Amino acid sequence: MIQVNPHYAKLQSSYLFSEIARKVEEYRSAHPDSEIIRLGIGDVTLALPPSITAAFRDAVEEMGSDAGFHGYGPEQGYAFLREAIAEGDFGSRGINIAPDEIFISDGAKCDTGNIQELFATDIRVGVPDPVYPVYVDTNVMAGRTGAYDNGRFEGLSYFVANAENNFIPSPPESGQDTVDLIYLCFPNNPTGATASKEQLAAWVEYAQAHNSLILFDAAYEAYVRDPELPSSIYEIPGAEKVAVEFRSFSKTAGFTGTRCAYTVVPRACTAYDQTGAAVSVRELWNRRHTTKFNGVSYPVQKAAAACFTETGREELRHMTDYYLLNAGLIRTAIESFGYSCVGGVNSPYVWINCRGDSWAFFDRALERAGVVITPGTGFGPAGEGYVRISAFNHRDKVEQALERLTQAFEQ
Ligand code: PLP
């Protein structure tokens, strides 16, 4: 008899998205002539910039000739892209990351989801609350948790982000469970909060003191404009021994449909075997990656490499500036309605304290303004009382949505 993985039965179905879809459908039937504006989405909307599209197209053309054809490439990614990243994202900022510490993949979702399999099942895992759900569900699937109870899985540690800690949780204190594998995400999805160097340094110190490993998700690093804020965990001295960093071209360069990302695993990064002997995390990740992944397509890697040319950089800066301006407009409007928020500065997400039930706020925005936002409860219990608005829409849609919301909130 073929038995299923029993841990899958613990997973919670995404009530959030099905409930949003149901409510939107209900609104649509009641108001067939009203255009719905989605400010809830985490997907980008602007086209790929011209120089990146051109590099993509040229590489497709190359593939159409015997001379330019590329079959299987290196699983870890082509040297031209790994070198461009090592210099463009790290070397140019004074951070020493070698090309062979960079692993190209088709998404930070897969990488943040897959990496947990390198580690033992009886380690203690800590995740933020609210959280990007992939971190939690992949550990549930692997059997690292008990049952689900009241928004929480037994066996996981939760780092609560709320107004009391300015949405930046501190490492566990002595007396609390020691966490071996630590998921952090800054700029944060969903809160939009950004951590200072001091705040990240506290996590690095914690990981050093407990021989833990930090999984740092920097999918939104391109939105950091404040030069005082770290855009990589490797800006913190010593982090290369205790942290893996995930980056993606999705929100940085509009690659959500094109698919390209990368994971940085420094040679110094260490985990331990059952005898306590040090093991290179890079070696383990290389083994996993080369066994289970066959590389990102050549044209996609060429398009990604074009992000590091001078023109590519300018175009991307323009793109992220555009979304940041949307975020600023959203934040100003929401504050003018008398609500406090976090994010929307150095981040494409605005996290609004709706002073009550998340769903009631959602309903009000939908029913009175035809605007769809995301209730915070979908990201964990600490999201109750909050909603997330994303800046990834066209300016005219954002402006129209804000006008409608202004009228709705004046009623
Ligand atoms: N990490 C975070 C925090 C995200 O919000 C997202 C996408 O929404 C991802 C990773 C996934 O990125 P990718 O498109 O590279 O899979």
Side-chain angles (χ1 to χ4, degrees), residues 30 36 112 123 125 156 182 197 206 247 259 340 344 398 403:
I36 293 169
T112 53
I123 56 166
V125 175
L156 283 188
I182 297 163
K197 283 187 187 152
Y206 178 88
R247 290 187 169 213
R259 310 305 303 144
S340 63
V398 171
E403 265 168 40

Side-chain angles (χ1 to χ4, degrees), residues 42-43 105-112 131-135 184-190 217-220 246-251 255-257 259-262 349 388 392:
D43 196 359
S105 78
D106 61 357
K109 183 178 193 173
C110 325
D111 289 354
T112 53
V131 66
Y132 175 56
V134 173
Y135 314 152
L184 296 178
C185 173
F186 294 111
N188 189 264
N189 178 16
D217 188 341
Y220 299 95
F246 303 90
R247 290 187 169 213
S248 171
F249 293 91
S250 283
K251 310 298 161 70
F255 274 47
T256 50
R259 310 305 303 144
C260 196
Y262 63 93
Y349 293 121
R388 187 191 76 176
F392 294 128

Side-chain angles (χ1 to χ4, degrees), residues 37-39 41 43-46 223 318-334 343-345 347-350 389-402:
I37 304 180
R38 293 182 183 272
L39 291 189
I41 46 166
D43 196 359
V44 294
T45 48
L46 295 180
Y223 293 86
H318 192 71
M319 180 188 261
T320 46
D321 276 349
Y322 180 98
Y323 291 132
L324 279 170
L325 205 133
N326 283 351
L329 293 175
I330 294 165
R331 194 178 160 131
T332 307
I334 296 295
V345 183
S347 154
Y349 293 121
V350 184
I389 297 192
S390 107
F392 294 128
N393 213 329
H394 287 276
R395 179 77 33 79
D396 58 332
K397 295 273 185 248
V398 171
E399 285 172 345
Q400 211 184 330
L402 294 177

Side-chain angles (χ1 to χ4, degrees), residues 155-231:
L156 283 188
S157 292
Y158 288 88
F159 313 132
V160 173
N162 55 23
E164 275 158 45
N165 56 21
N166 273 325
F167 301 91
I168 312 289
S170 301
E173 289 170 8
S174 57
Q176 293 179 310
D177 285 320
T178 302
V179 178
D180 306 305
L181 191 63
I182 297 163
Y183 289 81
L184 296 178
C185 173
F186 294 111
N188 189 264
N189 178 16
T191 69
T194 48
S196 68
K197 283 187 187 152
E198 293 69 28
Q199 287 162 331
L200 281 192
W203 282 100
V204 168
E205 263 170 49
Y206 178 88
Q208 287 167 334
H210 296 89
N211 290 339
S212 311
L213 185 74
I214 297 171
L215 301 177
F216 189 74
D217 188 341
Y220 299 95
E221 61 78 30
Y223 293 86
V224 173
R225 290 290 183 275
D226 181 344
E228 293 301 313
L229 288 174
S231 61

